[in-house]
Amino acid sequence: MTLPIISARGVGKRYNLGRLQKRNTSFRESIVEAIRTPFRRGGTTGTAGEEFWALRNIDFDVQPGDVLGVIGRNGAGKSTLLKVLSRITDPTEGRIEMRGRAASLLEVGTGFHPELTGRENIYLNGTILGMRKREIDRKFDEIVAFAEVERFIDTPVKRYSSGMYVRLAFGVAAHLDPEILIVDEVLAVGDAEFQRKCLNKMSDVAQGGRTVLFVSHNMAAVRSICSKALMLSRGQVAGIGEVDPIVNMYLQAGGSSAAAQLSFPLRGDHRPQFTALGMSTPTIEYGESIDLDVEIQSEIASTVAIELEIHDERGTPIAYMATAPIDKTLITLAAGTPRRVRLRCGPLPLATGRYDVYFWLIRPWAEDYHIPAEALSFEVIHSDPGESGFDFRQSYGRGATTFPLHVADA
């Protein structure tokens, strides 16, 4: 029977929140610390803290050649797990056995020395991975071509952009023949074409019999390249197994951070306001429409319009829709009676990933408006994880209709 290439048993990682670590300090640091101490929570000692388990009771095996997608909401412990597996930090309890050489790409510039050139960093990283010089020589041109940094290979990497950093770092990690490749969400730094190259490269690595651990919020990418998935929730294993059931579990648990229903208390004045927001589904396929249900109420008879703005994961507004004046649809409210309206947005030719929808309720030709305290979120899934979608950033503007917006009573 083949032994697992990675085996974790009872792994836990504990941090002490707010607790000062004893270390040697300069006279200046001692003065600064003396000034700061009285203002710390917990009195003048500055040592009060609480235990926080980022990981607890983690058990799993990874077989040679598996591509394991590690998924979970922000704060679930994914990055901590990869740092423990990469031996960047030691587990507080439990044990990990790794039967192979691992290369990690956990953040931009991991393992690079800023004063060294790209060429020197390739050889440095290869040496750290246990490669001989002739092995690195054989891969060197392929790494540089993949990273597209030929002109800058003899420039210190401190002068590289974040995109150049991550391209070269991934090229080194993927081309120096590690038995285990560990990749965090750092690929989000690159553009769509580079992400496609990286995903294809990870597939090639796996087909060559090597093992990949891949953290991502992009469920399309996880479905596309991973053979298994591990879901973390609050630092513990919530599920592990075949990709589709685990991804579905993640999405059904609100993994895309989508809220099925948001309610808001009445403000207590006469102005129109949202009292509830809803979404038909937290995920859609590339090019599908999405239904949004809104409830509006006003203490006086009024006519209103709804504006929507879609933001990408970085908070950049990429699309705008409005019932008026763009679609020439005004919504009439009776005094004191809530009205439910369904907005069908799309089709949405968006790239795979997570999006937030922000709402504005306005009274045309009036100054007042209402913005809900929270946004709804959804995720776009597509069979091609490298699909860039239509580039709305070039044409985005409140004066243009980006998507169709159909309005009907819910």
Side-chain angles (χ1 to χ4, degrees), residues 75-95:
K78 305 184 298 298
S79 294
T80 302
L81 176 61
L82 295 199
K83 288 178 181 178
V84 170
L85 292 173
S86 302
R87 306 191 190 282
I88 292 173
T89 185
D90 293 326
T92 305
E93 62 183 20
R95 73 179 193 278

Side-chain angles (χ1 to χ4, degrees), residues 63 76 174 184 196 218 243 246 248 282 342 357-358 371 408:
Q63 299 298 327
D184 205 343
R196 183 184 292 110
N218 186 337
V243 174
I246 300 301
N248 290 338
R342 171 158 294 180
V357 185
Y358 292 88
I371 304 172

Side-chain angles (χ1 to χ4, degrees), residues 218-275:
N218 186 337
M219 294 302 104
V222 172
R223 290 182 192 268
S224 174
I225 71 170
C226 296
S227 56
K228 292 183 178 179
L230 167 68
M231 177 178 166
L232 293 178
S233 177
R234 298 183 179 181
Q236 297 185 320
V237 175
I240 185 170
E242 297 300 318
V243 174
D244 285 343
I246 300 301
V247 168
N248 290 338
M249 179 192 303
Y250 168 71
L251 297 174
Q252 291 168 5
S256 62
S257 300
Q261 185 75 25
L262 294 175
S263 299
F264 308 99
L266 284 170
R267 220 170 18 192
D269 58 34
H270 68 279
R271 291 180 295 169
Q273 69 176 91
F274 292 106
T275 52

Side-chain angles (χ1 to χ4, degrees), residues 28-106:
R28 177 180 177 276
E29 291 172 323
S30 298
I31 295 297
V32 172
E33 190 60 41
I35 294 172
R36 293 174 59 193
T37 296
F39 299 99
R40 279 203 177 88
R41 190 191 318 178
T44 59
T45 62
T47 59
E50 61 177 301
E51 292 184 346
F52 170 71
W53 288 89
L55 299 172
R56 200 74 189 268
N57 301 322
I58 301 295
D59 293 300
F60 66 90
D61 291 325
V62 181
Q63 299 298 327
D66 279 351
V67 183
L68 180 69
V70 182
I71 61 178
R73 300 186 68 173
N74 290 333
K78 305 184 298 298
S79 294
T80 302
L81 176 61
L82 295 199
K83 288 178 181 178
V84 170
L85 292 173
S86 302
R87 306 191 190 282
I88 292 173
T89 185
D90 293 326
T92 305
E93 62 183 20
R95 73 179 193 278
I96 294 175
E97 295 182 15
M98 300 183 68
R99 301 176 176 89
R101 184 172 55 199
S104 304
L105 183 56
L106 305 186

Side-chain angles (χ1 to χ4, degrees), residues 119 141 143-154 160:
R119 182 187 304 274
D141 290 341
I143 292 170
V144 175
F146 181 91
E148 300 174 2
V149 293
E150 293 92 337
R151 292 180 57 194
F152 311 100
I153 195 61
D154 291 309
Y160 283 17

Side-chain angles (χ1 to χ4, degrees), residues 170 187 194-204 214 218 221 225 385-386:
F170 184 87
L187 296 186
F194 174 68
Q195 290 182 36
R196 183 184 292 110
K197 285 177 63 175
C198 291
L199 293 170
N200 289 338
K201 183 61 181 177
M202 283 192 285
S203 296
D204 293 342
F214 176 49
N218 186 337
I225 71 170

